[in-house]
Amino acid sequence: MPTRQLHLGAFMRPVTIHTGGWRWPGAWADANFSFPRLKHLIQRLEAAKFDAFFMADHLALLNMPIEALRRSHTVTSFDPLTLLPALAAVTERIGLIATASTTYNDPYHVARKFASLDHISNGRAGWNLVTTANPDAALNFGQDAHMAHGERYKRAREFYDVVTGLWDSFADDAFLRDQESGIFWDSARMHVLDHKGPELSVRGPLNVARPVQGWPVIVQAGASEAGRQIGAETAEMIFAAGGPIADARAFYADVKSRAAAAGRDPEQLKILPGCLVVVGESIEEARAKRARLDALVHYESAIGSLSSLLGVDASRFDPDGPLPDIPETESSKSGRERAIRLAEREGLTVRQLAQRIGGYAGAAMVGTPASIADEMEEWLETRACDGFNIMFPHVPEGLEDFVTGVVPELQRRGLFRTEYTGTTLRDHLRLKRPQNRFFEQARAAE
Amino acid sequence: MPTRQLHLGAFMRPVTIHTGGWRWPGAWADANFSFPRLKHLIQRLEAAKFDAFFMADHLALLNMPIEALRRSHTVTSFDPLTLLPALAAVTERIGLIATASTTYNDPYHVARKFASLDHISNGRAGWNLVTTANPDAALNFGQDAHMAHGERYKRAREFYDVVTGLWDSFADDAFLRDQESGIFWDSARMHVLDHKGPELSVRGPLNVARPVQGWPVIVQAGASEAGRQIGAETAEMIFAAGGPIADARAFYADVKSRAAAAGRDPEQLKILPGCLVVVGESIEEARAKRARLDALVHYESAIGSLSSLLGVDASRFDPDGPLPDIPETESSKSGRERAIRLAEREGLTVRQLAQRIGGYAGAAMVGTPASIADEMEEWLETRACDGFNIMFPHVPEGLEDFVTGVVPELQRRGLFRTEYTGTTLRDHLRLKRPQNRFFEQARAAE
């Protein structure tokens, strides 16, 4: 029996990360935006004992040329903090992680909505704290320009302090509801935050009882220097970028050691890279599925992605020939290298390379349930991750392939739970309930 | 058969407006903050064919002395836009009205959340547009002082234009999802709002398809001159203050004629006063229930409410004696008159008066199902209202008294539906689906 088990999140906004996935034969093209479809999908994930259903967020249309955008199934999607309460009502155990931006929100609203979701779901909420990458969001929120990267992270750090401080407004035993005396709550068990910082000024208290989990689980995805540092200091789950296993091990070691340096137990921070999974009955079948999926990416959107990665206009190249020599430019050295290596390694034509890049360029596992379980086991055992945020190539079929093929294989190997052992997202992730900074000092000092 | 029927909303935040209601024997003291309780209550309201479940909102603790506040069951309540999606998932027909402030929100978030709720609920969302009365909210949102009344209403009017403009971002037929051609949506059927106004600057488009109802139903509750005017111009339902029937008729006539003057069909604006309903098997039993309920309001919170209304320190008076002569002050003439008249009319002691005021001082109907139906019929027939927003004295019993006693009596008289005839909140309220200003101009001109 392995000593560690995988944690599995399902990255579900969009329901498929692959831009061609909605065109797959039989795919639910409207799944991003259909409550009945999403209800079906989350219930399948819960039956497979996933840790969490995870939703990204976008505060503007994706900033890509209209030729690509009109081919994207992401253009109409639900607000995560509106969808997840509805999904909470039709599930019982699976965690519910919503993304919310610290750049374009007020901390009082964020604290209140996540506290409400945590109570409504009986302790299953997680907050993916982001600073928002798409500069177009600024224009939807009364600003002329997107806040600079450093400023965004400075605000994010203070925002986190305010939100967690608001969650601690009431002691867990503040609400007496004593019908006899008529005292509903004990005002001595309330703390007024009265935060006045460089970026934010928030009095409090929150008008919601402390969340079931103390705090909803804190999730982050930043990969930059500032992103890694705030993640190491505050995150309990990190949605990492994946990539080659050696890079993932280095990222894992870096972030865990930063957490230790910040005085935290590194085990209280779980690292789950994103991973597209394409399952076949044989490796060849899985690879053929991936090729067919990539072929569904229209060339006019794919070539834009490739051009942007290479820093040259790739539409001049012969689509069905090999990639010509690309002059080095200042624009994107690592992306250029990655594309050139990928084309060489797999012998891809310009069209195939463009469709691969334009479909989904990130980490992927393509194979049989056994080969994928082998890969995942290697990642877990060599400390490249604590689990994965799974991305499905299309729904419902791609999700079914995973939950009926890979999950049972992982369970047979003892690498994944066969039943939920707790009720909250913290239980699933083996995370401690945070102490209330204002009412548990004595206990903390023991 | 009457020519008109009542519309019934249930005012459910708090689940009882009466401050003593949570102490009623057998009452669910935690109902404001328990998803299983709220689920039960909304399902009972849906079985009774209510038009809507209506939630107020508070962006700070209520601004009252701590002695009263610690006796209030409102201190921990769910965020409406987090609770209503969860309730949408456990109901099928009843409308879902959430309050959201135009003073302490961004229009892009408000447009997106209500559009998401409208899709998730299949056309059942309503937005109660408020400017926020509690000045303490400012301190939770980074401001030193609450925005002045006139400024708040100016921003509210522009906020409404922006939100409805964002809802019109896409034509209803914009989403093709053509798997064959790979075109997901028709970019010619999208409008970029590009709003630049005195208060707000929002580019758009919204990243959500146009709501099922075109726009969620617009609800307002403002009673001031500015509140009436914005209501007449933009609201489709008004949550009115109630009060004596003659005042209600005058309000009804005023707002409907303002709507006509603004070029609107007055039938497209429904006026539903709030009304506390206490039901007994006899009038005497109902009155005794009300007195018992008022007696559950603790004197130390009641006397504060009375003092504030009278503009004097009423704690100096003999609690069990009659109300002494009260000198006129500048503070609250109409409130002072109302309290003095009420004490005289019903022969109340200072304690009883304080408990009545401190419990719930607004409009109420106290009687049998038949006497309450008589009153409601008179209000409807004499154009004092188009229906009511019902407030229950306590839950679950007070709600059961209404849905098993009064609703069947109204149905027998043909004054209330016995079955839903449509699926959306607009259907229930007999409101038209608004045209899309950017894509239905030709149809509008026909």
Side-chain angles (χ1 to χ4, degrees), chain B residues 355-377:
Chain B
Q355 285 171 324
R356 174 71 63 84
I357 302 288
Y360 178 64
M365 294 184 186
V366 179
T368 64
S371 79
I372 290 168
D374 287 344
E375 277 193 82
M376 290 189 167
E377 189 163 2

PDB file of all heavy atoms in Angstrom, chain B residues 355-377:
ATOM      1  N   GLN B 355     -43.171  47.477  22.769  1.00  0.00           N
ATOM      2  CA  GLN B 355     -42.997  46.139  22.200  1.00  0.00           C
ATOM      3  C   GLN B 355     -43.634  46.024  20.823  1.00  0.00           C
ATOM      4  O   GLN B 355     -43.131  45.316  19.956  1.00  0.00           O
ATOM      5  CB  GLN B 355     -43.514  45.079  23.173  1.00  0.00           C
ATOM      6  CG  GLN B 355     -42.513  44.915  24.333  1.00  0.00           C
ATOM      7  CD  GLN B 355     -43.021  44.050  25.453  1.00  0.00           C
ATOM      8  OE1 GLN B 355     -44.214  44.086  25.773  1.00  0.00           O
ATOM      9  NE2 GLN B 355     -42.112  43.315  26.087  1.00  0.00           N
ATOM     10  N   ARG B 356     -44.732  46.762  20.603  1.00  0.00           N
ATOM     11  CA  ARG B 356     -45.333  46.779  19.278  1.00  0.00           C
ATOM     12  C   ARG B 356     -44.380  47.446  18.278  1.00  0.00           C
ATOM     13  O   ARG B 356     -44.079  46.897  17.217  1.00  0.00           O
ATOM     14  CB  ARG B 356     -46.671  47.532  19.302  1.00  0.00           C
ATOM     15  CG  ARG B 356     -47.304  47.728  17.904  1.00  0.00           C
ATOM     16  CD  ARG B 356     -47.836  46.437  17.321  1.00  0.00           C
ATOM     17  NE  ARG B 356     -48.896  45.891  18.130  1.00  0.00           N
ATOM     18  CZ  ARG B 356     -50.196  46.259  18.049  1.00  0.00           C
ATOM     19  NH1 ARG B 356     -50.569  47.164  17.173  1.00  0.00           N
ATOM     20  NH2 ARG B 356     -51.096  45.721  18.834  1.00  0.00           N
ATOM     21  N   ILE B 357     -43.880  48.615  18.667  1.00  0.00           N
ATOM     22  CA  ILE B 357     -42.959  49.369  17.805  1.00  0.00           C
ATOM     23  C   ILE B 357     -41.670  48.579  17.582  1.00  0.00           C
ATOM     24  O   ILE B 357     -41.151  48.484  16.473  1.00  0.00           O
ATOM     25  CB  ILE B 357     -42.606  50.740  18.449  1.00  0.00           C
ATOM     26  CG1 ILE B 357     -43.849  51.583  18.718  1.00  0.00           C
ATOM     27  CG2 ILE B 357     -41.566  51.493  17.618  1.00  0.00           C
ATOM     28  CD1 ILE B 357     -44.522  52.160  17.530  1.00  0.00           C
ATOM     29  N   GLY B 358     -41.166  48.014  18.662  1.00  0.00           N
ATOM     30  CA  GLY B 358     -39.898  47.289  18.585  1.00  0.00           C
ATOM     31  C   GLY B 358     -40.026  45.950  17.880  1.00  0.00           C
ATOM     32  O   GLY B 358     -39.046  45.416  17.363  1.00  0.00           O
ATOM     33  N   GLY B 359     -41.240  45.397  17.832  1.00  0.00           N
ATOM     34  CA  GLY B 359     -41.467  44.115  17.158  1.00  0.00           C
ATOM     35  C   GLY B 359     -41.536  44.308  15.666  1.00  0.00           C
ATOM     36  O   GLY B 359     -40.655  43.896  14.919  1.00  0.00           O
ATOM     37  N   TYR B 360     -42.588  44.992  15.239  1.00  0.00           N
ATOM     38  CA  TYR B 360     -42.701  45.375  13.835  1.00  0.00           C
ATOM     39  C   TYR B 360     -43.761  46.450  13.738  1.00  0.00           C
ATOM     40  O   TYR B 360     -44.944  46.196  14.030  1.00  0.00           O
ATOM     41  CB  TYR B 360     -43.062  44.192  12.933  1.00  0.00           C
ATOM     42  CG  TYR B 360     -43.230  44.631  11.498  1.00  0.00           C
ATOM     43  CD1 TYR B 360     -42.132  45.146  10.789  1.00  0.00           C
ATOM     44  CD2 TYR B 360     -44.463  44.592  10.864  1.00  0.00           C
ATOM     45  CE1 TYR B 360     -42.284  45.598   9.492  1.00  0.00           C
ATOM     46  CE2 TYR B 360     -44.611  45.031   9.557  1.00  0.00           C
ATOM     47  CZ  TYR B 360     -43.517  45.540   8.882  1.00  0.00           C
ATOM     48  OH  TYR B 360     -43.670  45.987   7.598  1.00  0.00           O
ATOM     49  N   ALA B 361     -43.359  47.628  13.340  1.00  0.00           N
ATOM     50  CA  ALA B 361     -44.246  48.786  13.390  1.00  0.00           C
ATOM     51  C   ALA B 361     -44.992  49.011  12.085  1.00  0.00           C
ATOM     52  O   ALA B 361     -45.830  49.900  11.994  1.00  0.00           O
ATOM     53  CB  ALA B 361     -43.440  50.038  13.750  1.00  0.00           C
ATOM     54  N   GLY B 362     -44.724  48.204  11.054  1.00  0.00           N
ATOM     55  CA  GLY B 362     -45.326  48.449   9.743  1.00  0.00           C
ATOM     56  C   GLY B 362     -46.698  47.818   9.587  1.00  0.00           C
ATOM     57  O   GLY B 362     -47.316  47.365  10.549  1.00  0.00           O
ATOM     58  N   ALA B 363     -47.164  47.784   8.358  1.00  0.00           N
ATOM     59  CA  ALA B 363     -48.511  47.307   8.049  1.00  0.00           C
ATOM     60  C   ALA B 363     -48.673  45.843   8.434  1.00  0.00           C
ATOM     61  O   ALA B 363     -47.757  45.038   8.254  1.00  0.00           O
ATOM     62  CB  ALA B 363     -48.785  47.478   6.563  1.00  0.00           C
ATOM     63  N   ALA B 364     -49.845  45.523   8.972  1.00  0.00           N
ATOM     64  CA  ALA B 364     -50.120  44.151   9.404  1.00  0.00           C
ATOM     65  C   ALA B 364     -51.591  43.829   9.187  1.00  0.00           C
ATOM     66  O   ALA B 364     -52.441  44.709   9.223  1.00  0.00           O
ATOM     67  CB  ALA B 364     -49.755  43.985  10.878  1.00  0.00           C
ATOM     68  N   MET B 365     -51.880  42.553   8.947  1.00  0.00           N
ATOM     69  CA  MET B 365     -53.257  42.055   8.940  1.00  0.00           C
ATOM     70  C   MET B 365     -53.319  40.947   9.965  1.00  0.00           C
ATOM     71  O   MET B 365     -52.552  39.980   9.902  1.00  0.00           O
ATOM     72  CB  MET B 365     -53.647  41.550   7.554  1.00  0.00           C
ATOM     73  CG  MET B 365     -53.701  42.657   6.513  1.00  0.00           C
ATOM     74  SD  MET B 365     -54.288  42.053   4.911  1.00  0.00           S
ATOM     75  CE  MET B 365     -54.055  43.550   3.919  1.00  0.00           C
ATOM     76  N   VAL B 366     -54.228  41.106  10.919  1.00  0.00           N
ATOM     77  CA  VAL B 366     -54.328  40.180  12.046  1.00  0.00           C
ATOM     78  C   VAL B 366     -55.774  39.705  12.081  1.00  0.00           C
ATOM     79  O   VAL B 366     -56.683  40.497  12.331  1.00  0.00           O
ATOM     80  CB  VAL B 366     -53.958  40.904  13.362  1.00  0.00           C
ATOM     81  CG1 VAL B 366     -54.091  39.949  14.548  1.00  0.00           C
ATOM     82  CG2 VAL B 366     -52.537  41.478  13.287  1.00  0.00           C
ATOM     83  N   GLY B 367     -56.006  38.417  11.784  1.00  0.00           N
ATOM     84  CA  GLY B 367     -57.394  37.951  11.778  1.00  0.00           C
ATOM     85  C   GLY B 367     -57.521  36.525  11.300  1.00  0.00           C
ATOM     86  O   GLY B 367     -56.556  35.748  11.376  1.00  0.00           O
ATOM     87  N   THR B 368     -58.696  36.180  10.817  1.00  0.00           N
ATOM     88  CA  THR B 368     -58.948  34.829  10.299  1.00  0.00           C
ATOM     89  C   THR B 368     -58.605  34.795   8.815  1.00  0.00           C
ATOM     90  O   THR B 368     -58.472  35.845   8.180  1.00  0.00           O
ATOM     91  CB  THR B 368     -60.429  34.466  10.453  1.00  0.00           C
ATOM     92  OG1 THR B 368     -61.190  35.374   9.638  1.00  0.00           O
ATOM     93  CG2 THR B 368     -60.889  34.591  11.903  1.00  0.00           C
ATOM     94  N   PRO B 369     -58.482  33.591   8.236  1.00  0.00           N
ATOM     95  CA  PRO B 369     -58.288  33.530   6.778  1.00  0.00           C
ATOM     96  C   PRO B 369     -59.343  34.351   6.038  1.00  0.00           C
ATOM     97  O   PRO B 369     -59.008  35.073   5.088  1.00  0.00           O
ATOM     98  CB  PRO B 369     -58.402  32.027   6.485  1.00  0.00           C
ATOM     99  CG  PRO B 369     -57.875  31.378   7.727  1.00  0.00           C
ATOM    100  CD  PRO B 369     -58.370  32.247   8.848  1.00  0.00           C
ATOM    101  N   ALA B 370     -60.590  34.286   6.475  1.00  0.00           N
ATOM    102  CA  ALA B 370     -61.647  35.027   5.764  1.00  0.00           C
ATOM    103  C   ALA B 370     -61.489  36.535   5.940  1.00  0.00           C
ATOM    104  O   ALA B 370     -61.630  37.302   4.975  1.00  0.00           O
ATOM    105  CB  ALA B 370     -63.023  34.577   6.261  1.00  0.00           C
ATOM    106  N   SER B 371     -61.193  36.979   7.155  1.00  0.00           N
ATOM    107  CA  SER B 371     -61.085  38.440   7.360  1.00  0.00           C
ATOM    108  C   SER B 371     -59.859  38.986   6.641  1.00  0.00           C
ATOM    109  O   SER B 371     -59.896  40.093   6.086  1.00  0.00           O
ATOM    110  CB  SER B 371     -61.049  38.780   8.861  1.00  0.00           C
ATOM    111  OG  SER B 371     -59.758  38.568   9.419  1.00  0.00           O
ATOM    112  N   ILE B 372     -58.771  38.194   6.612  1.00  0.00           N
ATOM    113  CA  ILE B 372     -57.560  38.646   5.905  1.00  0.00           C
ATOM    114  C   ILE B 372     -57.811  38.667   4.402  1.00  0.00           C
ATOM    115  O   ILE B 372     -57.421  39.608   3.702  1.00  0.00           O
ATOM    116  CB  ILE B 372     -56.361  37.753   6.292  1.00  0.00           C
ATOM    117  CG1 ILE B 372     -55.971  38.030   7.755  1.00  0.00           C
ATOM    118  CG2 ILE B 372     -55.167  37.998   5.366  1.00  0.00           C
ATOM    119  CD1 ILE B 372     -54.997  37.028   8.352  1.00  0.00           C
ATOM    120  N   ALA B 373     -58.521  37.653   3.898  1.00  0.00           N
ATOM    121  CA  ALA B 373     -58.857  37.648   2.471  1.00  0.00           C
ATOM    122  C   ALA B 373     -59.749  38.848   2.133  1.00  0.00           C
ATOM    123  O   ALA B 373     -59.594  39.472   1.075  1.00  0.00           O
ATOM    124  CB  ALA B 373     -59.532  36.336   2.088  1.00  0.00           C
ATOM    125  N   ASP B 374     -60.692  39.176   3.055  1.00  0.00           N
ATOM    126  CA  ASP B 374     -61.523  40.375   2.835  1.00  0.00           C
ATOM    127  C   ASP B 374     -60.645  41.625   2.701  1.00  0.00           C
ATOM    128  O   ASP B 374     -60.833  42.438   1.797  1.00  0.00           O
ATOM    129  CB  ASP B 374     -62.478  40.601   4.029  1.00  0.00           C
ATOM    130  CG  ASP B 374     -63.615  39.591   4.074  1.00  0.00           C
ATOM    131  OD1 ASP B 374     -63.855  38.912   3.049  1.00  0.00           O
ATOM    132  OD2 ASP B 374     -64.246  39.480   5.148  1.00  0.00           O
ATOM    133  N   GLU B 375     -59.717  41.754   3.629  1.00  0.00           N
ATOM    134  CA  GLU B 375     -58.842  42.939   3.600  1.00  0.00           C
ATOM    135  C   GLU B 375     -58.032  42.985   2.312  1.00  0.00           C
ATOM    136  O   GLU B 375     -57.923  44.028   1.653  1.00  0.00           O
ATOM    137  CB  GLU B 375     -57.873  42.918   4.793  1.00  0.00           C
ATOM    138  CG  GLU B 375     -58.454  43.460   6.079  1.00  0.00           C
ATOM    139  CD  GLU B 375     -57.348  43.698   7.121  1.00  0.00           C
ATOM    140  OE1 GLU B 375     -56.679  44.750   7.076  1.00  0.00           O
ATOM    141  OE2 GLU B 375     -57.136  42.792   7.975  1.00  0.00           O
ATOM    142  N   MET B 376     -57.471  41.852   1.956  1.00  0.00           N
ATOM    143  CA  MET B 376     -56.628  41.817   0.749  1.00  0.00           C
ATOM    144  C   MET B 376     -57.454  42.135  -0.496  1.00  0.00           C
ATOM    145  O   MET B 376     -57.004  42.840  -1.406  1.00  0.00           O
ATOM    146  CB  MET B 376     -55.945  40.454   0.619  1.00  0.00           C
ATOM    147  CG  MET B 376     -54.872  40.263   1.679  1.00  0.00           C
ATOM    148  SD  MET B 376     -53.872  38.784   1.382  1.00  0.00           S
ATOM    149  CE  MET B 376     -52.524  39.097   2.543  1.00  0.00           C
ATOM    150  N   GLU B 377     -58.672  41.606  -0.524  1.00  0.00           N
ATOM    151  CA  GLU B 377     -59.551  41.857  -1.665  1.00  0.00           C
ATOM    152  C   GLU B 377     -59.858  43.353  -1.765  1.00  0.00           C
ATOM    153  O   GLU B 377     -59.843  43.928  -2.865  1.00  0.00           O
ATOM    154  CB  GLU B 377     -60.842  41.046  -1.493  1.00  0.00           C
ATOM    155  CG  GLU B 377     -61.718  41.082  -2.717  1.00  0.00           C
ATOM    156  CD  GLU B 377     -62.776  39.971  -2.710  1.00  0.00           C
ATOM    157  OE1 GLU B 377     -62.847  39.187  -1.718  1.00  0.00           O
ATOM    158  OE2 GLU B 377     -63.522  39.890  -3.691  1.00  0.00           O
TER     159      GLU B 377
END
